[in-house]
Structures are given as C-alpha cells and as structure tokens.
Amino acid sequence: MMGEQLVLGLDLGGTNMVGAALTTEGELVAKSKMTTEASGGLEHVLGRMADCLEGVLEKSGRKREDVLAAGVGAPGPLNQETGVVYTPPNLPGWKDVPLADELNKRLNIAVFIENDANCAAYGENWLGAGRDFKDLICLTLGTGVGGGIILNNELVRGVDGTAGEIGHLIIEMNGRRCNCGSYGCLEQYGSATGIVTTAREIIEQGEKTVLTEMVSDLSKLTAKDVSVAMERGDELARRVITQTGEFLGVGIASLVNLLNPEVVVLCGGVIAAGEALFKPIRETVEKRAFPVPSKRARIVPSVLGDDAGVTGAAGVALSRAQRSSE
Amino acid sequence: MMGEQLVLGLDLGGTNMVGAALTTEGELVAKSKMTTEASGGLEHVLGRMADCLEGVLEKSGRKREDVLAAGVGAPGPLNQETGVVYTPPNLPGWKDVPLADELNKRLNIAVFIENDANCAAYGENWLGAGRDFKDLICLTLGTGVGGGIILNNELVRGVDGTAGEIGHLIIEMNGRRCNCGSYGCLEQYGSATGIVTTAREIIEQGEKTVLTEMVSDLSKLTAKDVSVAMERGDELARRVITQTGEFLGVGIASLVNLLNPEVVVLCGGVIAAGEALFKPIRETVEKRAFPVPSKRARIVPSVLGDDAGVTGAAGVALSRAQRSSE
C-alpha cells in the first residue's frame, strides 16, 4: 500500500521554485519548475506554490487521495513544528507566515516545512551521495554556505530548529566580517562570495591574472569569472580555488572532529570547480583532523545536484507523515 | 526492583582514579579515591581499578548481585562497543587494552567504557547542570579542552566513537600550533595551557604585571599563577582571563549555531575563574551567534564538579545495561 502512495516536494527559492512527486520508495514520478515571482508578494507566491504542487500532481497522473503528504524546503529562519516561516531575506513581504497551514488550506494535503539546506542534506541521505550512510553532514556552497547535519538518519534540528548553520562556524576569529554580524564565518571563505573576496585580495597584491583583462571593474567580479579564468589556465584563479578548498577543509576538519560522520556531501554551484576544489579540501582535512575520523569521512560531491532540495523536501514529508501516523 | 540496584562508576585519570556507587535513581551511596600509579604499568593499574570498584562496593554495604553494571571513564582514544582502550598518552604501557573484558574478568560485573569527557557530559545531563535538558554540550577545561555532545539525552559518539572533540574545533586557522598537528584549535586558547600562552604573549609585549614578580622564570608560569595575580588585582591577569573567555566564546558561538543546544556546561579547573571568565564567554556568544540559538543556550558551570566524570561513568553503565537488556 505504502509503495503506491506519493509524496510531493517543493523547493522554494527567491528566484525559482521546483516541485516534484516521488513514490514513497523514492522513485521520481514528475517534476516541474516555475519562477517564484517573489516581488508579487506573499499571496501571489503562495498561489504559485499551490499551483506548482497541483501541476506536479497532475503531471504524475495520480489523484489527490494518493498523496501522503507534501514537504516544502524554504529559506529560514522557520519553525518546523508550527510550520511558520519567519522573515526570509529573499522573500519580500513575508513575516511569520503559517506556510504549512496556508498550503494545506489551498491543497487539502498535509504539508510540512523544513529549512532548505536541511532538505538538501535529507535528500542526499535518502537518495543521493549519503544513501548508504546514517551519519552525514551536507554543505551547500552557493552565494552563502548552508548546512544540514544528519545523525542516525535523522536531521539534527536543535531545540528551536535552527541547528545546522555550518556557514557560521567561525574559522578565523578576527577574519572577514560576515553578514550575520560575526567575523571569520566559513560562509565568507567557502561560498561564491568568499571566492570573489579571496580573488580580490590576491589581485590587489598586484599579481598578474587574466581576470583583470576579463573584468574591467573588479567590483563586478564573480565566482564564475574565476572558474572561467581557471579553465583558461590562469594561475591566480587556480590558487583562489585551492585556497577556497583549504578554507573549506578547515571548517570540515572541525566538523569531522566534532561529529565523526561517515560522509560529508558538498552541494551547490561552487562544487563545479571539481577536483581543483575537492583535492585541497581532502588534503586539509587529512592534515588537520584526527586520523580515525578523518580516514572515515568520505568527502564527496552531491549526487542529486539541483534536485537535492526538492527530493529532501519530499523525504522530510514522508518521514514526518509516517511519524505522525505512528 | 530497578530502584534497588546499584551502578558503579570509575573515572580513570593519569594521576588519580575515583570510584562511586550510585542507585539507578542517581543517589550516591559510596565514593572512593585512589592514586592510579600509572608508572606501575598495565597489570598494576588494572588491579588498582578492580580494587577501587571492589572497595566502593564494600563501602556501599551492598552485594555484588545488587550491581547492575559498572562504567569506566577513560582517556581516549577508545572503542565503546568493543571496550578497547587504544593508546592513552597518560597511561604508559597501555596499547589496545580490552579494558571492559579485563575488568569483567576480575570483578564478574558487566563493564562498559566511555571517553572521560563524554562521561562528564553524561554526568551533567543525568544529575548535574543539564539534568532538566535533553540537548547539551559539555566542555571540560583543564590542561586541554575535552568535550561531549548530548542530543536527545544520548551521547553523540559518531561512527567510530570519536565524536565530541570540541577542543579541536579550529577557531583561528593560522593560529597557535596544537599537539594534534593542526593550528588554532580551541584547546590552545581555552585551556590552562592556553591561559599560560596568552599570558606570556601579553607579558612579552612588555606590560607591567605582578606575574613577573611572582614567577621569576616565565617558562614555569601556570594558569594558577594567573588566577592568583587576578585575585590580587593585577590588570594584565584579568585581561588574560577576559581574552580566554572571548576565545571560548568564539568556539561556543560556533557550537551554538551548529547544534542549537539548550545548555552549554563548562567543567574543569579553569572555571574556577568564575564570572571573570563566564561574562566574556556569554557576551561573545551573544555577539557572534544567531539570536534565537544564542538566546536559548544557557552557559553555566558544572554542578557536579570533580564528580561529573565518575557520575557519568555510572550513568553510561546504567544506560547501556538497560539498552542491552531490552
């Protein structure tokens, strides 16, 4: 019976949303992508979210009665228990939105919400790079650094649901200023933003690089420019990626000492740098973490890629629906 | 029935060992302290450990049949499942010792072993500063910095049992060299050793302090000297303790962002500095961690003091005996 039911997932971003329908066994049945149109305001976005989920259900060719539950991965801060999203910076007009209830009202389906980085971690654990493991740490390396921690196949949420903020591990106590108000957070070193900062710091020392030819105004430099320069054989760009890997390695070494996980999964746009990034990460962890946990922790790229979040959102819905029916 | 049974605990240190007998309800029935005589070698220490546990049982006035199990908190690295202690630096001649089996043979009691800092965390959660909470982080601030993480009233051990190495969270990536081979580990800043390093760094800048009068050879400076100087109103000594608190606050801010615990318990000799240490810790966490988890996390001193380890060792034995009889 359970195998015939569906779970829906929705990954809500500031620009796009992705919906998916999966069987409870984790088989993808349908998927659909829409723009978020965040500037349209709360009601507009809620309507689009409902449309996206309706659309994916229709695409699946199944009926509402077949749906066990839906899960939404949303930018935090949020409360998983009450289903309320507080004030996500990328969604103007959102304040203390009872998202789970609002969608439930529109869809007549049980809805659960979860932090988007936690969803990515859960997705990788359910069906991705961490599927054979029970203790996993996931870092999403995009504009910022997000994270999710899974122990014993369960998300570590903490008492208020805010746990997993790996981007705000302090790796350099008097380091770069972070948007969170602190200094030296991993996010300022291991994200696309961090790559740009590191590149600018090195360029300002007057070293030669194609980046100064590619980008006339360095205040407009992007992480993508750095990748392109590296592909073109630029030494400085490669060094920026190596340093970024070392920075990430420092943070991951701390996590490995702290939690002794089986696997550390890296997701997000930044991992496109491939071995140029993973090699210094692995070398740094090996050098800086204790031998036993360092040898244990595989450090691997995401298998689900952009689908980690939506897959995990569906997985969270499945897990919570099963738990609440126990 | 259960309430009438006893659990024994033993906290094994390089210099002393402490044994205790508690009821399964957590009431202390008897306690006993002995020197470890580590230089006597493995067999000698094993004999003393058995004597210590026998002694405490005798003191309790109860019989062997009343004992549910015994727990030993030992310096790591060790394996909780197999009961083997690998190569503890403070116990010469110990290598891959099947400690649980050896004590079981001598005592005919089920024996479980656990990392000593994990025992302190478990003790504080069972009967100490964390007894009303389920998510707790414990730091032991002594010569080094140890740690234990408890989520949902269970120790986080990691897949190899090495989790909880809070002392080796990197807070300054190019910072002080650590004995573990890495740089900038919390242990080098928040321990008694760290206090001495910080004091020396400031003294070498030529500032005035009673410490230079108290200690003619600065290579022999101790954390105790710094406390004494602070009590005597020495400004530099107070600044050393403030900085130590700030360093610890940086590490704890990361932990608070990562795990969103209810309480952070500090144990060990270093906490004798009291408010002079706790105030900068709390202020730093408030400044550097996210508001919700920062507001949540109480940062408090140990309630059990030196007994945290032995209490937790007994508690671990109780928990594991109950689990294995399920």
Side-chain angles (χ1 to χ4, degrees):
Chain A
M1 268 308 281
M2 285 299 284
E4 310 228 284
Q5 285 190 290
L6 285 191
V7 280
L8 305 184
L10 188 126
D11 184 14
L12 175 68
T15 310
N16 293 302
M17 61 177 81
V18 183
L22 287 86
T23 67
T24 56
E25 304 298 320
E27 200 187 327
L28 182 69
V29 180
K31 206 176 114 178
S32 144
K33 192 170 168 177
M34 281 171 62
T35 52
T36 302
E37 300 181 0
S39 59
L42 173 62
E43 282 301 317
H44 184 68
V45 174
L46 288 174
R48 290 186 73 78
M49 292 174 79
D51 289 350
C52 184
L53 287 167
E54 295 273 12
V56 86
L57 176 58
E58 196 177 324
K59 243 189 190 172
S60 76
R62 306 286 294 275
K63 298 198 198 71
R64 193 168 309 252
E65 306 85 84
D66 300 330
V67 178
L68 179 64
V72 176
L78 55 77
N79 185 315
Q80 296 95 340
E81 297 307 317
T82 61
V84 170
V85 174
Y86 300 121
T87 47
N90 298 327
L91 297 170
W94 286 51
K95 192 178 179 325
D96 301 345
V97 177
L99 180 59
D101 286 349
E102 288 292 340
L103 289 176
N104 172 256
K105 222 161 54 187
R106 283 167 174 79
L107 295 164
N108 198 24
I109 291 171
V111 176
F112 300 97
I113 71 171
E114 182 55 79
N115 173 288
D116 46 13
N118 281 356
C119 283
Y122 200 87
E124 292 292 341
N125 185 216
W126 186 28
L127 298 169
R131 66 187 299 167
D132 298 324
F133 305 101
K134 61 187 192 42
D135 287 7
L136 165 149
I137 294 172
C138 181
L139 282 79
T140 55
L141 311 175
T143 313
V145 171
I149 301 169
I150 288 178
L151 300 180
N152 238 328
N153 295 316
E154 298 232 19
L155 276 167
V156 173
R157 292 191 173 92
V159 58
D160 302 291
T162 72
E165 288 292 354
I166 295 173
H168 301 278
L169 202 67
I170 299 162
I171 62 166
E172 179 80 353
M173 59 185 156
N174 299 309
R176 299 177 185 168
R177 181 161 183 86
C178 185
N179 301 328
C180 76
S182 184
Y183 292 85
C185 292
L186 183 58
E187 170 154 304
Q188 294 305 315
Y189 297 85
S191 63
T193 318
I195 290 176
V196 171
T197 309
T198 303
R200 280 207 204 109
E201 281 182 7
I202 306 186
I203 293 169
E204 278 163 14
Q205 291 161 17
E207 291 191 47
K208 217 177 137 245
T209 167
V210 299
L211 282 167
T212 45
E213 295 157 30
M214 284 169 57
V215 190
S216 55
D217 179 358
L218 276 186
S219 73
K220 291 191 180 124
L221 185 72
T222 66
K224 177 82 189 150
D225 296 327
V226 177
S227 314
V228 170
M230 187 175 74
E231 278 158 29
R232 286 172 57 182
D234 187 66
E235 261 313 301
L236 184 143
R238 171 166 291 270
R239 192 134 49 86
V240 169
I241 299 301
T242 303
Q243 276 196 16
T244 303
E246 289 166 356
F247 294 147
L248 285 165
V250 166
I252 294 171
S254 289
L255 293 170
V256 161
N257 279 341
L258 215 54
L259 297 172
N260 179 209
E262 294 168 286
V263 57
V264 179
V265 182
L266 307 187
C267 314
V270 169
I271 69 166
E275 270 308 294
L277 184 74
F278 276 84
K279 191 161 175 280
I281 292 177
R282 292 194 185 105
E283 286 174 354
T284 304
V285 172
E286 202 187 323
K287 247 187 281 182
R288 303 192 67 146
F290 282 131
V292 171
S294 152
K295 200 173 160 200
R296 168 70 60 179
R298 292 161 184 79
I299 299 169
V300 299
S302 161
V303 160
L304 301 175
D306 289 343
D307 288 346
V310 69
T311 304
V316 164
L318 171 60
S319 144
R320 295 191 58 184
Q322 285 176 336
R323 205 185 323 152
S324 62
S325 73
E326 265 169 14
Chain B
M1 267 310 279
M2 286 296 285
E4 309 228 284
Q5 286 190 290
L6 284 191
V7 279
L8 306 184
L10 188 127
D11 184 15
L12 175 67
T15 311
N16 292 301
M17 62 178 79
V18 184
L22 287 86
T23 67
T24 55
E25 305 297 319
E27 200 187 327
L28 182 69
V29 181
K31 206 175 115 178
S32 144
K33 192 170 168 175
M34 281 170 62
T35 52
T36 302
E37 299 181 1
S39 59
L42 174 61
E43 282 301 317
H44 184 68
V45 174
L46 288 174
R48 290 185 73 77
M49 292 174 80
D51 289 349
C52 184
L53 287 167
E54 295 272 13
V56 86
L57 177 58
E58 196 178 322
K59 241 186 188 174
S60 77
R62 306 286 292 277
K63 298 196 197 73
R64 193 169 309 251
E65 305 86 84
D66 301 331
V67 177
L68 179 64
V72 176
L78 55 77
N79 185 316
Q80 296 94 341
E81 298 307 317
T82 60
V84 171
V85 174
Y86 300 121
T87 46
N90 299 327
L91 297 170
W94 286 50
K95 191 176 180 328
D96 301 345
V97 177
L99 180 59
D101 286 350
E102 289 291 339
L103 289 176
N104 172 256
K105 221 159 56 186
R106 283 167 174 80
L107 294 164
N108 198 23
I109 291 172
V111 176
F112 300 96
I113 70 171
E114 182 55 80
N115 173 289
D116 46 14
N118 281 357
C119 284
Y122 200 87
E124 292 292 342
N125 185 216
W126 186 28
L127 298 168
R131 66 186 299 167
D132 298 324
F133 305 102
K134 62 185 190 46
D135 287 7
L136 165 150
I137 294 172
C138 181
L139 282 79
T140 55
L141 311 175
T143 313
V145 171
I149 300 168
I150 288 178
L151 299 180
N152 238 328
N153 295 316
E154 298 234 17
L155 276 167
V156 173
R157 292 190 173 93
V159 59
D160 302 291
T162 72
E165 288 292 354
I166 295 172
H168 301 277
L169 202 66
I170 299 163
I171 61 165
E172 179 81 353
M173 58 184 156
N174 300 308
R176 299 176 185 169
R177 181 161 182 87
C178 187
N179 302 328
C180 77
S182 184
Y183 291 85
C185 291
L186 183 58
E187 171 155 302
Q188 294 305 316
Y189 297 85
S191 63
T193 318
I195 289 176
V196 171
T197 309
T198 303
R200 280 206 204 109
E201 282 183 5
I202 306 186
I203 293 169
E204 278 163 15
Q205 291 162 17
E207 290 192 45
K208 217 176 137 246
T209 167
V210 299
L211 283 167
T212 45
E213 296 157 29
M214 284 169 56
V215 189
S216 54
D217 179 359
L218 276 186
S219 73
K220 291 192 179 122
L221 185 73
T222 66
K224 177 82 189 151
D225 296 327
V226 177
S227 312
V228 171
M230 187 175 76
E231 278 159 27
R232 286 170 57 181
D234 187 66
E235 261 313 302
L236 184 143
R238 170 166 291 271
R239 192 135 46 86
V240 169
I241 299 301
T242 302
Q243 276 196 16
T244 304
E246 290 165 356
F247 294 147
L248 285 164
V250 166
I252 294 171
S254 289
L255 293 170
V256 161
N257 279 342
L258 215 54
L259 297 172
N260 181 27
E262 294 168 286
V263 58
V264 179
V265 182
L266 307 186
C267 314
V270 169
I271 70 165
E275 269 310 294
L277 184 75
F278 276 84
K279 192 161 175 281
I281 291 177
R282 292 193 185 106
E283 286 174 354
T284 304
V285 172
E286 202 187 322
K287 247 186 279 179
R288 303 192 67 148
F290 282 133
V292 171
S294 151
K295 201 172 159 198
R296 169 70 60 177
R298 292 161 185 79
I299 299 170
V300 298
S302 161
V303 161
L304 301 174
D306 290 343
D307 288 346
V310 69
T311 305
V316 164
L318 172 61
S319 144
R320 295 192 58 186
Q322 286 176 334
R323 207 185 321 153
S324 61
S325 74
E326 265 170 15

